[in-house]
Amino acid sequence: MIIVLKNSITKEEAKEFSVFIAQYGIKSIPIYGEMSTVLGLVGDTSKIDIEQITRLSYVERAIRVQEPFKQVSRRFHPKTIIVEVGNVRFGSEEIYVMAGPCSVENRTQLDIIADGVVKSGAKVLRGGTFKPRSSPYAFQGLKLEGIALMKEQKQKHNIPIISELTNINFLDAFLEDVDIIQIGARSMQNFEMLKEIGQTQKPVLLKRGFSNTIDELLMSAEYIVNGGNKNVLLCERGIRTFETRTRNTLDISAVPLLKQLSPLPVIVDPSHAAGRVDLIESLTLASIAAGADGLLIEVHNEPAKALSDGAQSLTLDAFDEIMKKAKVIAKAVGRRL
Ligand code: PEP
Ligand code: MN
């Protein structure tokens, strides 16, 4: 439920109201706007009599929120939330590209890729080291050794790094060294992990599960925000459909829809959506045109030899070309890249 309070509310009335709300055992989150103060009530508000509340002299109006997600709803939080990571401000006018290999393989590979993507304008380095592979026989990642290699690049280029966390036991290591924790499609509904991350202030990129709806993605984000961590980036990375020409189907509508529904910044991963390198440019440009606040793109110095996701990994030259076009589209839609 959302309660809009009149500006004329006195301190005594505000106190009286908070006592009234507290008796229902409900969490009340104040959102201070320029024109009015809004209270977001989270919990079981079914017993609250909305008519009774509306009759209070200092209440402008009370609205029931039908959606199961509250704190990640624009109704609760009309202004876009800016997620800051160093100099990067997701949700601002600028669009940021996060790029790098699917998996960190060795120091030389990462060094070449990091040099290349930074030169082409990537603002965050991506690199997976805990890899959630469909087959147990596929390369599982360098784990903490890979995080150490990512950290070297972070220091060399002075840019933030993003990497996927698959096991909460490694949270402390990630809190120490990683700037954005990636929650993969397969972990989107690992609610215990989401709750733990919600207790921190670490920026999180939450990927949509390949069989999950937009509402389910937002409910997962709610788990994190409900713990007190508002630094959540929503990521569309393609969903499973009947189509077999692509690895997944990029749900481009999710971009404007998520932005309408939620104040959280929206990121698109065209690499896992397409699964093939020849579509990445079109999907990147379409995502920017649709309003994405950032992109997550896989790049490899030798895609044919990549230990994971080579078929969808751009060469450094192809990435550079796409970045040039991306800048033009960003400008055309009133953004910067
Ligand atoms: C990845 O980013 O390499 C990855 C495994 O992504 P997803 O969780 O979207 O499959
Ligand atoms: Mn990958």
Side-chain angles (χ1 to χ4, degrees):
M1 185 181 283
I2 290 170
I3 298 171
V4 183
L5 299 169
K6 287 188 182 153
N7 269 346
S8 55
I9 188 168
T10 64
K11 270 196 186 136
E12 290 72 39
E13 286 169 333
K15 209 164 160 198
E16 174 194 313
F17 192 65
S18 64
V19 171
F20 171 76
I21 293 298
Q23 67 177 335
Y24 292 98
I26 283 166
K27 194 162 142 188
S28 151
I29 303 161
I31 302 149
Y32 301 101
E34 277 153 30
M35 307 300 284
S36 54
T37 295
V38 174
L39 284 181
L41 305 190
V42 185
D44 180 11
T45 57
S46 61
K47 289 189 185 68
I48 296 184
D49 179 354
I50 199 159
E51 309 268 301
Q52 186 192 357
I53 286 195
T54 317
R55 277 197 298 273
L56 296 168
S57 60
Y58 45 84
V59 169
E60 181 127 354
R61 65 201 138 90
I63 313 148
R64 274 204 194 281
V65 178
Q66 300 301 338
E67 290 104 355
F69 47 89
K70 319 269 179 209
Q71 297 175 69
V72 301
S73 164
R74 265 213 201 263
R75 301 232 246 161
F76 255 56
H77 206 293
K79 254 173 76 186
T80 297
I81 291 172
I82 305 284
V83 176
E84 286 191 46
V85 191
N87 296 329
V88 171
R89 298 180 78 245
F90 291 102
S92 67
E93 187 195 313
E94 191 164 347
I95 297 166
Y96 300 94
V97 175
M98 296 172 264
C102 174
S103 296
V104 175
E105 297 169 11
N106 56 64
R107 180 177 281 119
T108 311
Q109 170 243 22
L110 190 62
D111 196 46
I112 297 169
I113 298 171
D115 280 358
V117 298
V118 167
K119 209 164 128 208
S120 298
K123 295 285 158 58
V124 178
L125 178 68
R126 74 147 281 157
T129 74
F130 289 84
K131 296 306 300 177
R133 305 305 299 281
S134 299
S135 163
Y137 309 116
F139 177 58
Q140 302 287 310
L142 295 183
K143 310 213 161 50
L144 290 180
E145 193 193 317
I147 295 293
L149 296 177
M150 286 289 283
K151 200 174 158 190
E152 284 178 14
Q153 295 303 322
K154 167 179 163 162
Q155 281 156 357
K156 177 174 172 188
H157 295 286
N158 193 25
I159 56 162
I161 55 172
I162 175 170
S163 198
E164 179 172 351
L165 178 68
T166 53
N167 181 335
I168 202 65
N169 293 336
F170 294 101
L171 180 62
D172 285 345
F174 273 59
L175 290 176
E176 180 82 21
D177 291 331
V178 174
D179 301 290
I180 306 174
I181 295 180
Q182 179 174 323
I183 298 296
R186 291 155 194 83
S187 304
M188 189 201 90
Q189 289 189 311
N190 184 338
F191 301 121
E192 294 309 315
M193 188 146 90
L194 303 181
K195 281 191 233 170
E196 291 269 350
I197 293 171
Q199 297 299 314
T200 76
Q201 286 302 308
K202 187 62 92 175
V204 187
L205 178 131
L206 179 65
K207 286 193 161 196
R208 178 180 180 182
F210 34 72
S211 300
N212 287 114
T213 62
I214 287 173
D215 280 31
E216 285 165 346
L217 171 63
L218 289 169
M219 283 188 275
S220 286
E222 184 92 8
Y223 267 97
I224 303 171
V225 175
N226 194 35
N229 185 358
K230 276 192 197 166
N231 299 311
V232 180
L233 305 167
L234 302 169
C235 180
E236 163 60 35
R237 48 75 76 206
I239 50 174
R240 260 197 189 163
T241 67
F242 53 80
E243 185 51 67
T244 54
R245 289 269 174 191
T246 49
R247 181 174 178 182
N248 291 286
T249 297
L250 179 65
D251 181 6
I252 197 82
S253 334
V255 180
L257 261 172
L258 285 170
K259 290 183 67 96
Q260 249 177 51
L261 292 167
S262 175
L264 297 172
V266 177
I267 311 299
V268 175
D269 169 352
S271 306
H272 292 84
R276 44 189 279 180
V277 85
D278 57 333
L279 302 182
I280 309 298
E281 177 179 310
S282 302
L283 298 190
T284 299
L285 303 183
S287 302
I288 294 170
D293 298 299
L295 287 128
L296 183 71
I297 303 179
E298 288 186 342
V299 180
H300 200 282
N301 55 327
E302 287 182 283
K305 293 189 185 159
L307 296 182
S308 63
D309 289 349
Q312 65 196 37
S313 298
L314 296 168
T315 60
L316 290 163
D317 285 348
F319 176 69
D320 192 63
E321 279 304 305
I322 292 178
M323 287 296 279
K324 285 185 189 132
K325 292 186 186 169
K327 283 189 190 8
V328 178
I329 301 296
K331 199 167 170 209
V333 294
R335 307 280 298 263
R336 221 157 18 93
L337 189 144

